[in-house]
Amino acid sequence: PNAARQHLDALVSAGLLSRGVVERAGPGRRPQSFSLTPAGQRALSGPASHELHEVVGAFASYLVASGDGEQAHAIGEHWAERHDPLPEVGPEGPVGALVEMLDILGFAPARTTTDDGEAVVLRDCPLLDLAHEHPDVICEMHRGLVDGVMHRLGAAQGVRLLPFSEPDGCRVDLG
């Protein structure tokens, strides 16, 4: 157990695992739970996933070089129009389905509310390195993706993406 705890602590420190506490009744140390983070999932995805990430990065770099935010938004919308399947709209409505889709794509989303209404915090980004360097293009592509998914789910478009506005990521205001 001591060796395992040290290894798990190292994986948490590296951002590959997240730690939770399991509630239980009775005395003693509470058990801990561990879950893969999006970075941990990517680390386990293998070389094919890494190569795909490189190809997507090349497309993103091209958009950055062209500096065309409108084209980046259109590419995000186009992807959303063509992606199948989208999650079903369930009891949590279109926002719940959007969160599920963003989770599948590796954004580690979390629902929240603001003074302006409902929002989603993107706690990870598949193109984080490029987004830090060129948020005007990369984040616009992601805004287009969210707009396109919301449109297909039958919800309002025109979301606002605020890059790096939260301590743990970017916020998408859904209005």
Side-chain angles (χ1 to χ4, degrees):
N2 289 335
R5 191 174 305 123
Q6 289 176 353
H7 288 292
L8 290 169
D9 288 344
L11 291 169
V12 169
S13 294
L16 301 173
L17 289 179
S18 62
R19 180 189 327 260
V21 176
V22 178
E23 295 296 325
R24 71 173 185 158
R29 182 185 295 182
R30 292 185 191 150
Q32 296 180 359
S33 66
F34 295 88
S35 302
L36 275 174
T37 63
Q41 291 171 345
R42 281 194 303 273
L44 292 175
S45 297
S49 177
H50 177 71
E51 291 301 320
L52 182 58
H53 182 74
E54 292 293 321
V55 169
V56 172
F59 282 114
S61 296
Y62 176 80
L63 286 175
V64 167
S66 72
D68 191 346
E70 286 182 32
Q71 187 179 20
H73 187 271
I75 288 171
E77 283 186 314
H78 183 74
W79 180 91
E81 289 170 9
R82 299 179 57 95
H83 187 280
D84 280 317
L86 284 183
E88 299 270 334
V89 176
E92 295 186 11
V95 176
L98 172 68
V99 167
E100 186 178 339
M101 185 77 238
L102 292 170
D103 190 40
I104 290 167
L105 294 174
F107 286 95
R111 286 177 87 156
T112 188
T113 55
T114 67
D115 293 339
D116 296 329
E118 198 156 16
V120 175
V121 175
L122 307 176
R123 299 174 296 180
D124 199 359
C125 176
L127 301 172
L128 186 59
D129 49 343
L130 286 170
H132 275 294
E133 293 175 30
H134 305 283
D136 51 327
V137 174
I138 303 304
C139 298
E140 189 60 27
M141 184 172 60
H142 292 153
R143 189 177 75 82
L145 183 147
V146 172
D147 264 344
V149 169
M150 292 298 281
H151 175 75
R152 282 194 55 201
L153 294 172
Q157 289 182 270
V159 302
R160 190 169 62 140
L161 193 147
L162 305 166
F164 311 109
S165 59
E166 299 291 314
D168 58 345
C170 304
R171 189 176 75 230
V172 179
D173 289 335
L174 303 172

